Amino acid sequence: MTALKATTASKTRRRAMTVAALAAGAVLALTGCGAGQISQTAHQVAAVNGNSANVGKVALRDVRFLLPQTEEYDNAKGGKAVLAFSAANLSEANQDELVSVTTELGTVKIGGKAEIKPQTTLVADLAKKEAAPAAGHDSHGTETASDNKATTDPDAHPLLVEVTGLTKDVTPGLTYPVTFIFKEAGTVVVNVPVDAGPNNPRPEPVNNETKSGH
């Protein structure tokens, strides 16, 4: 091989190696831009923590088990849990009543007045006497249904609905079927989640495109 041919071959090999290196760098750059991107729609969540259902003229909203509130309500097997919800009677003339609530999780005890006057909303929750009424609630803890014209019942107090003798732990991230039986509206089964709680806000989607500059 002459000196000219050897020099030409050496330049050709160096050029090929350079092209290969540039191609590899481009692949890595593209991979880096795509890595860690989070879908916006994959992280959209409901505005409330609980589930909802309609039966007859009754609209059940924000049905959920509360997070453990005290040592008494620990949501643990053998213990107690509190079921919270709002039930709006959309009838303009007929009163209704929550007759019973059943679940395989344990025995449900309704500790209060369960009648729902026409165009009013009954709220079940764990009363916190030391806390000031939250927005949208009156001094009795009742609330107006946001998706109908039912008003609050000024004579009503929060209904305490306990599930006692839990057959299993009531765990966040899971849902548990609960049956509601109303005198007029009938029966409906709701898959009930555990409340995320005000101290556990759901994370907003991360906009990695802004951070990465791509």
Side-chain angles (χ1 to χ4, degrees):
M1 180 182 294
T2 65
L4 178 60
K5 290 182 177 181
T7 301
T8 302
S10 178
K11 289 181 178 180
T12 301
R13 284 195 297 272
R14 288 198 299 270
R15 187 179 299 112
M17 292 174 65
T18 301
V19 171
L22 290 174
V27 171
L28 289 174
L30 290 174
T31 303
C33 288
Q37 298 273 344
I38 300 176
S39 169
Q40 296 281 340
T41 56
H43 288 263
Q44 291 179 351
V45 295
V48 296
N49 291 318
N51 210 338
S52 62
N54 295 323
V55 56
K57 291 291 185 178
V58 172
L60 278 167
R61 294 294 180 265
D62 204 13
V63 186
R64 76 270 185 209
F65 286 105
L66 297 182
L67 284 171
Q69 303 292 311
T70 63
E71 292 183 0
E72 181 180 5
Y73 302 111
D74 57 6
N75 290 16
K77 182 177 180 180
K80 295 181 181 181
V82 175
L83 182 64
F85 57 87
S86 63
N89 182 3
L90 306 183
S91 173
E92 295 182 355
N94 299 322
Q95 179 171 289
D96 210 332
E97 180 182 356
L98 178 61
V99 177
S100 66
V101 180
T102 62
T103 174
E104 295 181 352
L105 286 174
T107 302
V108 180
K109 296 181 179 180
I110 301 176
K113 183 179 179 182
E115 295 178 348
I116 319 173
K117 296 177 182 180
Q119 295 291 295
T120 62
T121 299
L122 174 67
V123 171
D125 206 334
L126 185 62
K128 299 179 179 63
K129 295 181 180 179
E130 72 282 0
H137 294 69
D138 65 13
S139 60
H140 298 286
T142 55
E143 64 179 8
T144 302
S146 59
D147 55 353
N148 55 67
K149 296 182 180 180
T151 59
T152 58
D153 182 354
D155 297 324
H157 290 270
L159 188 70
L160 179 60
V161 180
E162 301 172 302
V163 183
T164 64
L166 292 173
T167 58
K168 64 178 71 175
D169 293 344
V170 178
T171 307
L174 301 179
T175 60
Y176 305 89
V178 176
T179 302
F180 292 81
I181 303 175
F182 294 91
K183 185 176 181 179
E184 301 296 335
T187 302
V188 64
V189 178
V190 183
N191 290 319
V192 182
V194 178
D195 196 332
N199 296 323
N200 295 278
R202 302 183 185 185
E204 294 294 332
V206 178
N207 190 344
N208 282 334
E209 292 186 359
T210 302
K211 292 184 177 182
S212 62
H214 296 289

